């Protein structure tokens, strides 16, 4: 017996070690992949030390370094600016706003506090601004991790590392708790209950055996109490399946591997399952729901509006008229209209002016990438530099064959009046280099247009060698225009025409489009004063450009699919209310045209509630904070009760707001924490997506945090999962994978428990009836390893059942075993226990002559040999019953035949493995004796094989009843989003 126990124990240890090694390898692989991502993102900096300009690694920069910044650089610290030239920084990672922030130099620093985060980024050119607006960043500081999108400058590094704004946010993460995953909590509860029940039953069996002598092996030299102790301990092991941890880890690890193959890097095993429980996704807008690349979508000049197709920086796309008589939506006719647009050249003045009044570039470059097999590769990709909105202008012009490089052979910029947030415009003065011929061509495009006499600005007299071009906020430009270009002629801009132009601006702005206007005027020669006060007036109005950061193509179907699965999606963004609302309508989060006032909120209201919650919580803890000190006081019980009531009212107010809100605008970093905590209080499993530093605390506070691979290191470090392709759709795929994993876990829990409970009941009933235990301790251990090992692991590899995304998310209160599984366990336990007792009694009758195996006419050895044969019959029956049930347990409701009997190859391997090893143990000399088994005759084999299919048949009949009656059917998913209504944007 000792040898057998050592063999079984060794096998258990091997399985547990395999489990631990597999989990460690998977988590190490995730960590290594993250390290590889970090290695690819090493940032260098240009500094001036001892009067010498040098390039050093960002980690070597220290406070006090004089740093040089230019377009394309990423700040390696918080840098206070001392000199700028049209400098703009993309602070989306901090503020959530997609528009770059224009930076300035303060001349007087006496009243500034460098470490305060109380200043504002620039507002949209055509948005209202006020002194009461909440401020996020200083306009004279470039922050660590932000990208320079335009211009150049110099600055002094004032903070590095944890002293930066990013560092302060990272420190906040230490106090955020994401909580225990639903699976861990439920399995812990199940394990505790099983453990308590098994200990109780084992104690009962021990007492019965010791007091009555029932169940003891009379041929053994061990005392009865020791034999009963071994049986009791073995039953305790049997009741709590040791195969469960192996199967859980296998399921999660394999799910992790599948997610990695789908470009989702899971950093924690339990995160895969938690995704399957997700009931709400809180997502940022910029770069997550949208592409993060401004794109021109409409153009307008007097008399006509145009649709511009295509996304990103690729020049692929067409431009065609829209309106009552347009063919909007008919691709073939649109292509014909595009050819007509190119021939008419009515858009050339607008786009040429926009390109010449821009500094952005978009070029085709070779970019390092990685294949699906993980191999390094390169591909040609359009890469932009400079202001994000100006990049959109350059790309739109290229679609008509207008190239900036070609234009610069005919025009030379002579001076520039930079953009000012006060006047919301910029202007340039260009000189005509070739009045007779203006080459406008794109060597890489089939849409090249040959040069024509007079060029794009033929409406201006040839005597005007210099052309001033002004672009900016449409209202400001229009009010400075005295004339307009209409059908190729310059006419006086009447009040009616001005009103018409403003109406178009309002139409486009209402669609959350960023609108720019452009106007020109000619000069025969440069004046002594060419300042903006002189240049930006008496303009000829050319037209409007409307651009936006478009939604990702996969976002609309992904949101619809999540909604179909009962997973709500809410958008949290730093953008203004109107912009956020329009984007939400475009992607189906809100119904376009409906009253969405209650479903869209400016976070200012939520922010004050969150601040009050923090204040009351600190008061309850006895902490009173002011600007000078923090001291701890003792508060009375009455005061604590009053504060508790106040806190509950604040919670209720916040929860009422979040329960109805779909879009959160003007959100600051810690508003997201307030939102996430509110959803968790309401019982949601919250998935938070994001890519910026401003998302990091909420990522860690959510049940599952999902960061973008292109996001900041702080966000990736706080997240549970990193999307390597930044695709929102990958999250929905992860939710499906998580649901599949949880379903598989419940399948093998159902499979394991029905067998183990039957084993306990067989032994308990047999001993109460006065029989020796049908299973010895070593046989119990072997059965657990044989039936709880390979077959259960094979179930962990099962494919998702059909319709898994048609059901709503599991409630957090739902246990691992629902009423369907508990009913199935009860039925299988009764059937299996009855079959085992029947075959045991029949075996005893055949080999001892009496039903209880205690025939006084036989010697103890004869009775013991008979009992061994009966036990062997029980062992074979249990193994074969469970191996056949491994097939039917692949689905809890669907028929085995509908899934394909042999569609899961892992089950075939597991069944074959278990049968071979069971036959070896029962027939190989040495092993057979160690495990207390005997060889069976034809009669015994006939009975065992005859009873084998019964449990599987009962299981299939039970599932048929479930399907017919609808018993235990989880309700279909309710579409939680207001509406999935993909619409084209409004036309003119």
């Amino acid at each position: 017996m000792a040898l057998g126990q050592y063999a079984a124990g060794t096998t258990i240890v091997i399985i547990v070690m395999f489990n631990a090694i597999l989990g460690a390898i998977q988590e190490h692989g995730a960590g290594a992949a993250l390290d590889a991502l970090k290695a690819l993102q090493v940032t260098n900096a240009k500094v001036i030390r001892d009067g010498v300009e040098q390039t050093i690694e960002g980690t070597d920069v220290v406070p006090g370094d004089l740093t040089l910044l230019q377009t394309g650089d990423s700040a390696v610290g918080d840098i206070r600016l001392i000199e700028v030239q049209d400098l703009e920084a993309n602070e989306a990672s901090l503020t959530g706003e997609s528009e770059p922030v224009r930076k300035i130099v303060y001349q007087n620093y006496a009243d500034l506090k460098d470490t305060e985060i109380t200043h504002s980024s620039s507002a949209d050119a055509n948005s209202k601004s006020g002194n009461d607006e909440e401020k996020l960043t200083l306009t004279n500081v470039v922050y660590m991790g932000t990208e320079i999108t335009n211009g150049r400058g110099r600055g002094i590094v004032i903070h590095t590392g944890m002293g930066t704004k990013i560092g302060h946010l990272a420190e906040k993460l230490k106090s955020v708790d994401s909580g225990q995953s639903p699976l861990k909590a439920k399995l812990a509860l199940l394990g505790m209950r099983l453990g308590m029940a098994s200990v109780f039953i084992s104690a009962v069996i021990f007492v019965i055996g010791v007091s009555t002598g029932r169940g003891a092996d009379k041929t053994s030299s061990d005392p009865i109490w020791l034999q009963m102790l071994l049986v009791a301990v073995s039953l305790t092991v049997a009741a709590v399946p040791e195969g469960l941890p192996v199967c859980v880890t296998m399921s999660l690890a394999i799910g992790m591997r599948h997610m990695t193959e789908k470009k989702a890097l899971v950093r924690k095993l339990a995160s895969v399952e938690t995704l399957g429980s997700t009931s709400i996704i809180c997502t940022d807008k910029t770069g997550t729901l949208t592409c993060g690349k401004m794109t021109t979508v409409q153009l307008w000049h007097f008399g006509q509006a145009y649709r511009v197709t295509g996304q990103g920086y690729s020049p692929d796309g067409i431009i065609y008229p829209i309106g009552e008589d347009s063919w909007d939506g008919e691709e073939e006719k649109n292509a014909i209209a595009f050819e007509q647009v190119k021939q008419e050249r009515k858009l050339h003045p607008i786009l040429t002016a926009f390109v010449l009044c821009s500094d952005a570039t978009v070029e085709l470059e070779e970019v390092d990438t990685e294949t699906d097999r993980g191999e390094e590769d390169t591909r040609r990709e359009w890469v932009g530099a400079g202001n994000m909105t100006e990049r959109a202008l350059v790309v739109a012009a290229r679609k008509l064959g207008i190239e900036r490089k070609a234009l610069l052979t005919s025009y030379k910029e002579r001076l520039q009046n930079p953009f000012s947030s006060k006047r919301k415009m910029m202007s340039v003065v260009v000189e005509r280099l070739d009045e007779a011929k203006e080459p406008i061509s794109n060597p890489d495009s089939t849409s090249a247009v040959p040069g024509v006499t007079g060029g794009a600005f033929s409406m201006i007299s040839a005597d005007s060698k210099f052309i001033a071009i002004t672009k900016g906020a449409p209202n400001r430009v229009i009010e400075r225009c005295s004339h307009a270009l209409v059908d190729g002629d310059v006419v006086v801009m009447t009040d009616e025409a001005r009103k018409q132009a403003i109406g178009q601006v309002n139409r486009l702005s209402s669609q959350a489009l960023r609108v720019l206007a452009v106007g020109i005027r000619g000069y025969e020669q440069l004046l002594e004063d060419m300042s903006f006060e002189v240049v930006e007036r008496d303009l000829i109005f050319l037209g409007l450009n409307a651009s936006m950061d478009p939604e990702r193509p996969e976002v609309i179907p992904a949101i619809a699919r999540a909604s179909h699965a009962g997973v709500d999606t809410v958008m949290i963004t730093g953008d203004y209310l109107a912009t956020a609302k329009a984007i939400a309508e475009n992607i189906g989060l809100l119904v376009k045209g409906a009253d969405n006032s209650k479903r869209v909120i400016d976070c200012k209201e939520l922010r004050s509630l969150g601040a009050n919650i923090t204040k009351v919580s600190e008061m309850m803890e006895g902490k009173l904070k002011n600007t000078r000190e923090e001291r701890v006081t003792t508060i009375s019980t009455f005061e604590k009760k009053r504060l508790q009531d106040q806190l509950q009212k604040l919670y209720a107010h916040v929860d009422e707001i979040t329960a109805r809100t779909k879009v959160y605008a003007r959100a600051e970093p810690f508003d997201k924490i307030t939102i996430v905590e509110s959803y968790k209080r309401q019982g949601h499993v919250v998935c938070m997506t994001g890519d910026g530093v401003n998302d990091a605390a909420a990522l860690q506070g959510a049940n599952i945090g999902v960061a973008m691979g292109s996001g900041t290191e702080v966000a990736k470090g706080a997240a549970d999962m990193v999307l390597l392709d930044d695709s929102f759709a990958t999250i929905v795929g992860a939710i499906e994978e998580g649901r599949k994993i949880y379903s598989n876990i419940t399948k093998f829990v159902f499979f394991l428990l029905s067998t183990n409970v039957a084993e306990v009941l067989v032994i308990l009933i047999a001993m109460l009836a006065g029989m020796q235990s049908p299973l010895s301790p070593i046989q119990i251990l072997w059965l657990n390893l044989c039936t709880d090992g390979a077959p259960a692991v094979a179930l962990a590899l099962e494919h998702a059942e059909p319709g898994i995304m048609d059901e709503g998310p599991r409630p957090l209160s739902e246990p691992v075993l629902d009423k369907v599984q508990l009913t199935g366990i009860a039925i299988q336990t009764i059937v299996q226990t009855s079959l085992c007792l029947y075959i045991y009694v029949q075996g005893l009758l055949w080999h001892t002559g009496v039903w209880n195996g205690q025939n006084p006419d036989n010697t103890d050895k004869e009775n013991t040999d008979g009992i061994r044969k009966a036990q062997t019959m029980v062992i074979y029956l249990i193994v074969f019953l469970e191996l056949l049930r491994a097939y039917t347990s692949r689905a809890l409701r669907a028929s085995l035949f509908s899934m394909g009997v042999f569609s899961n190859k892992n089950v075939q391997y597991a069944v074959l493995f278990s049968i071979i090893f069971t036959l070896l143990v029962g027939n190989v000399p040495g092993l057979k004796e160690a495990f207390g088994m005997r060889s069976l005759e034809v009669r015994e084999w006939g009975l065992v094989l005859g009873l084998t299919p019964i449990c599987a048949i009962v299981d299939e009949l039970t599932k048929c009843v479930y399907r017919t009656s609808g018993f235990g059917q989880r309700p279909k998913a309710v579409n939680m989003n207001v509406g999935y209504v993909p619409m084209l944007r409004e036309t003119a």
Side-chain angles (χ1 to χ4, degrees):
M1 183 179 294
L3 177 60
Q5 290 173 330
Y6 290 146
T10 302
T11 307
I12 295 174
V13 170
I14 290 174
I15 291 178
V16 172
M17 288 179 62
F18 177 74
N19 159 29
I21 292 171
L22 179 64
I25 289 174
Q26 292 287 344
E27 296 218 19
H28 173 73
L34 275 179
D35 291 340
L37 281 177
K38 294 177 182 178
L40 292 175
Q41 298 178 350
V42 175
T43 302
N44 293 327
K46 291 181 180 179
V47 299
I48 297 179
R49 291 179 176 175
D50 299 326
V52 179
E53 180 180 327
Q54 49 187 294
T55 300
I56 62 175
E57 289 191 6
T59 53
D60 295 331
V61 172
V62 297
D65 271 333
L66 176 60
T67 306
L68 305 180
L69 299 169
Q70 62 183 15
T71 301
D73 288 347
S74 181
V76 294
D78 290 352
I79 303 169
R80 186 172 63 196
L81 298 168
I82 60 175
E83 178 184 327
V84 297
Q85 181 179 347
D86 305 330
L87 187 69
E88 293 183 351
N90 185 348
E91 295 182 345
S93 63
L94 289 172
T95 66
E97 296 180 18
S98 57
E99 282 303 309
V101 178
R102 184 165 288 271
K103 294 296 181 176
I104 62 175
V105 175
Y106 290 148
Q107 301 301 321
N108 182 5
Y109 295 96
D111 299 326
L112 293 178
K113 295 181 180 179
D114 297 329
T115 57
E116 291 180 351
I117 309 173
T118 56
H119 293 259
S120 175
S121 59
S122 300
D124 287 348
N126 54 327
S127 298
K128 295 181 180 180
S129 61
N131 294 331
D132 61 335
E133 194 67 54
E134 293 290 339
K135 313 301 184 184
L136 294 177
T137 57
L138 288 160
T139 51
N140 73 318
V141 174
V142 174
Y143 292 93
M144 181 176 179
T146 60
E147 179 189 358
I148 306 302
T149 60
N150 189 52
R152 60 186 61 201
R154 294 186 177 199
I156 304 295
V157 178
I158 55 176
H159 298 297
T160 59
M162 297 305 291
T164 63
K165 184 177 181 181
I166 285 180
H168 290 316
L169 290 172
E171 280 289 335
K172 295 286 186 181
L173 302 181
K174 297 179 180 178
S175 61
V176 181
D177 181 18
S178 60
Q180 191 179 33
S181 77
L183 178 64
K184 284 185 177 180
K186 293 173 184 177
L187 288 179
L189 180 62
L190 177 64
M192 181 185 69
R193 291 176 175 174
L194 287 175
M196 293 175 62
S198 63
V199 168
F200 173 77
I201 294 174
S202 298
V204 170
I205 290 176
F206 177 77
V207 171
I208 292 174
V210 171
S211 60
T212 64
R214 296 174 180 176
D217 183 359
K218 295 184 178 180
T219 62
S220 174
S221 59
D222 295 331
I224 293 178
W225 69 267
L226 181 57
Q227 293 184 50
M228 289 299 100
L229 180 61
L230 289 174
V231 172
V233 171
S234 299
L235 278 178
T236 303
V237 174
V240 182
E242 63 273 3
L244 185 58
V246 180
C247 296
V248 170
T249 300
M250 284 286 290
S251 292
L252 297 177
I254 291 167
M256 175 186 283
R257 187 188 68 194
H258 288 168
M259 292 306 302
T260 303
E261 292 172 352
K262 297 176 182 178
K263 302 298 182 182
L265 179 65
V266 181
R267 301 179 65 240
K268 303 173 185 176
L269 281 176
S271 303
V272 181
E273 179 277 331
T274 308
L275 271 166
S277 304
T278 299
S279 59
I280 191 165
I281 302 174
C282 300
T283 176
D284 190 17
K285 175 185 75 70
T286 304
T288 306
L289 296 175
T290 62
C291 297
K293 297 177 180 178
M294 294 296 290
T295 304
T296 295
V297 294
Q298 287 194 40
L299 294 166
W300 182 86
H301 64 66
F302 277 108
Q304 187 61 61
Y306 298 84
R307 176 89 66 209
V308 184
T309 68
Q311 285 191 344
Y313 299 147
S314 169
D316 295 334
I318 63 174
I319 303 175
Y320 59 89
I322 55 176
E324 292 182 1
D325 299 327
S326 75
W327 298 322
D328 197 11
E330 301 182 36
E331 293 185 8
E332 184 176 346
K333 293 182 179 180
N334 289 341
I336 297 174
F338 180 43
E339 294 301 321
Q340 187 175 351
V341 168
K342 289 191 289 184
Q343 293 299 322
E344 291 178 348
R345 298 176 54 82
K346 290 182 179 180
L347 287 176
H348 281 65
I350 304 172
L351 292 175
T352 299
F354 272 130
V355 172
L356 290 174
C357 195
S358 303
D359 294 322
T361 61
V362 178
E363 302 293 340
L364 195 59
E365 299 179 1
E366 287 194 352
V367 178
D368 293 333
T369 185
E370 187 177 280
T371 66
D372 293 337
R373 297 180 179 180
E375 301 171 352
E376 293 184 0
D377 194 9
T378 58
R379 70 170 185 268
R380 290 174 65 79
E381 185 176 297
W382 291 97
V383 178
N387 180 276
M388 299 287 287
T389 302
E390 291 184 353
R391 297 182 198 181
L393 300 174
V394 171
V395 173
R398 182 178 267 118
K399 291 172 183 178
L400 278 182
I402 301 173
E403 289 276 5
R404 178 177 175 81
K405 288 182 179 180
L407 289 176
L408 293 180
T409 64
S410 294
Y411 298 95
K412 180 180 180 181
E413 183 178 314
R414 297 300 300 270
L415 63 89
Q416 182 180 119
N417 294 307
F419 178 87
S420 164
S421 59
K422 182 176 181 181
R423 72 183 201 281
K424 296 184 178 180
M425 293 184 296
M426 71 167 290
S427 57
V428 298
V429 177
V430 299
E431 179 183 0
R432 285 173 166 172
L433 300 180
D434 185 353
E435 299 169 348
K437 199 78 170 175
E438 179 183 308
I440 305 176
S441 62
N442 177 1
D444 298 323
S445 172
T446 58
S447 61
V449 179
V452 296
T453 302
F457 302 132
S458 59
M459 77 292 298
I460 294 182
S461 170
D463 295 332
S464 298
K465 186 174 179 61
F466 299 94
I467 300 174
I469 307 171
T470 300
K471 86 168 191 303
N475 291 4
R476 299 291 181 89
V477 173
I478 292 172
E479 70 184 13
R480 285 165 173 73
C481 292
S482 58
H483 293 73
L485 182 64
V486 180
D487 292 329
D489 298 323
V490 177
V491 300
V492 174
M493 193 165 188
T494 63
D495 290 341
E496 184 65 28
R498 204 180 306 276
K499 184 177 180 181
Q500 182 183 354
I502 294 297
Q504 290 297 320
V505 172
N506 294 336
R507 175 185 69 84
L508 295 169
S509 297
S510 68
Q511 301 172 43
L513 302 178
R514 178 171 174 77
V515 185
L516 292 177
V518 65
I520 63 173
R521 64 174 295 181
Y523 293 90
E524 293 183 3
Q525 61 183 9
L526 291 178
L527 306 178
E528 290 186 7
D529 181 8
M530 295 295 286
S531 63
F532 66 83
E533 290 93 343
V534 175
V535 171
E536 297 171 359
R537 66 181 186 183
D538 298 328
L539 302 171
I540 300 172
F541 176 78
L542 297 182
L544 304 173
N545 178 93
S547 60
M548 66 177 299
D549 182 7
E551 61 271 9
R552 291 174 174 269
E554 70 273 14
V555 163
I556 293 178
I559 289 177
R561 191 173 178 219
S563 180
H564 181 72
V567 180
D568 199 5
T569 302
V570 299
M571 184 172 75
I572 307 174
T573 176
D575 281 331
Y576 287 93
L577 199 72
T579 301
K581 177 175 175 288
I583 289 289
E585 289 176 346
N586 288 338
I587 62 178
L589 280 180
L590 299 174
V591 174
K592 205 166 191 176
D595 180 10
N596 295 313
S597 58
K598 294 291 186 181
R599 305 185 72 80
V600 183
I601 185 176
D602 188 311
C603 282
K604 189 182 295 185
E605 177 185 356
L606 205 61
R607 192 171 307 130
S608 70
L609 290 171
N612 287 335
I613 288 174
T614 301
K615 181 179 178 181
V616 173
S617 298
E618 290 177 348
M619 292 174 67
M620 287 184 63
E621 296 172 2
K623 295 180 180 179
L624 300 178
K625 291 186 177 180
N626 55 41
T627 55
R628 295 185 178 181
E629 63 179 345
E630 178 179 316
R631 53 195 173 90
V632 179
T633 61
T634 302
I635 60 175
S636 65
T637 303
F638 175 79
E639 179 68 8
K640 179 171 282 191
K641 178 66 168 59
R642 185 186 69 80
L643 292 173
Q644 182 65 39
D645 292 341
Q646 185 178 350
L647 188 62
Q648 292 304 317
K649 290 179 181 179
L650 289 170
Y651 283 155
H653 193 177
V654 172
D655 293 348
E656 185 273 329
I657 292 173
T658 58
R660 58 175 166 80
T661 301
K662 297 289 297 179
V663 178
Y664 300 86
R666 301 301 295 158
E668 291 186 6
F670 298 108
D671 295 335
K672 300 182 180 184
I673 299 265
T674 303
I675 294 167
V676 167
E677 289 178 346
S678 173
Y679 284 130
K680 291 171 74 173
R681 281 197 302 272
Q682 296 171 51
H684 285 288
V685 176
V686 185
C687 171
M688 171 69 192
T689 70
D691 58 358
V693 176
N694 60 329
D695 298 323
L699 287 174
Q700 194 171 66
N703 298 96
I704 178 77
V706 181
M708 303 298 124
S710 60
T712 62
E713 292 303 322
V714 174
K716 285 184 276 191
D720 301 289
M721 186 171 78
V722 179
L723 301 183
L724 302 180
D725 59 358
D726 288 7
S727 174
F728 183 84
T730 304
I731 301 170
V732 182
I735 290 174
E736 181 176 11
E737 184 73 23
R739 289 189 177 188
K740 182 194 79 173
I741 288 169
Y742 190 90
S743 175
N744 286 346
I745 289 173
T746 60
K747 289 173 189 175
F748 59 66
V749 169
F750 162 72
F751 172 76
L752 296 175
L753 288 186
S754 57
T755 303
N756 293 2
V757 173
E759 291 174 11
V760 173
L761 288 181
V762 166
I763 295 174
L764 179 62
I765 293 173
M767 293 185 66
L768 289 175
M771 295 183 283
Q772 185 174 322
S773 172
L775 298 170
S776 67
I778 187 59
Q779 291 168 349
I780 294 172
L781 294 175
W782 169 251
L783 282 174
N784 277 1
L785 290 174
C786 185
T787 60
D788 295 2
V793 170
L795 289 176
L797 304 177
E798 185 62 51
H799 298 295
E801 287 188 59
I804 198 169
M805 293 294 280
D806 294 335
E807 300 178 345
R810 299 181 310 276
L812 280 177
S813 58
E814 181 179 288
V816 176
L817 300 175
D818 59 19
K819 61 181 181 180
V820 171
Q821 291 144 334
L822 289 174
T823 302
I825 289 174
I827 293 172
Q828 286 296 316
T829 298
I830 292 171
V831 174
Q832 190 166 325
T833 301
S834 301
L835 293 175
C836 290
L837 288 174
Y838 167 73
I839 201 170
Y840 186 51
V841 171
Q842 187 62 55
L844 292 176
L845 286 172
W846 281 346
H847 299 292
T848 66
V850 294
W851 66 272
N852 62 1
Q854 306 299 323
N855 191 340
D857 296 332
N858 297 336
T859 64
D860 289 343
K861 185 178 184 307
E862 289 174 338
N863 283 334
T864 299
D865 287 340
I867 291 172
R868 291 286 182 265
K869 279 214 169 187
Q871 287 177 335
T872 302
M873 294 171 66
V874 172
I875 291 173
Y876 280 128
L877 180 62
I878 291 176
V879 170
F880 294 159
L881 285 174
E882 287 310 298
L883 294 182
L884 197 54
R885 276 197 60 242
Y887 289 94
T888 63
S889 298
R890 291 171 52 203
L892 297 175
R893 305 184 67 87
S895 168
L896 169 64
F897 302 101
S898 67
M899 299 185 65
V901 177
F902 303 109
S903 59
N904 186 342
K905 293 183 179 180
N906 298 294
V907 173
Q908 329 306 332
Y909 300 144
V911 168
L912 183 61
F913 170 85
S914 298
I915 290 176
I916 291 173
F917 275 85
T918 300
L919 292 175
L920 288 175
V921 167
N923 293 279
V924 174
L927 283 177
K928 180 170 63 174
E929 288 75 19
F931 283 87
M933 297 179 68
R934 299 291 185 268
S935 298
L936 298 185
E937 300 173 0
V938 174
R939 179 178 59 171
E940 286 90 359
W941 276 115
L943 183 59
V944 169
L945 297 177
L947 298 177
T948 294
I950 293 179
C951 282
I953 293 172
V954 171
D955 201 4
E956 285 298 306
L957 291 175
T958 304
K959 290 192 289 184
C960 181
V961 173
Y962 290 162
R963 293 192 301 272
T964 304
S965 64
F967 175 75
Q969 177 72 50
R970 182 177 285 121
K972 293 291 184 181
V974 178
N975 190 325
M976 301 176 71
N977 288 328
V978 175
Y980 165 51
V981 189
M983 297 179 177
L984 291 174
R985 294 176 181 81
E986 297 292 330
T987 59

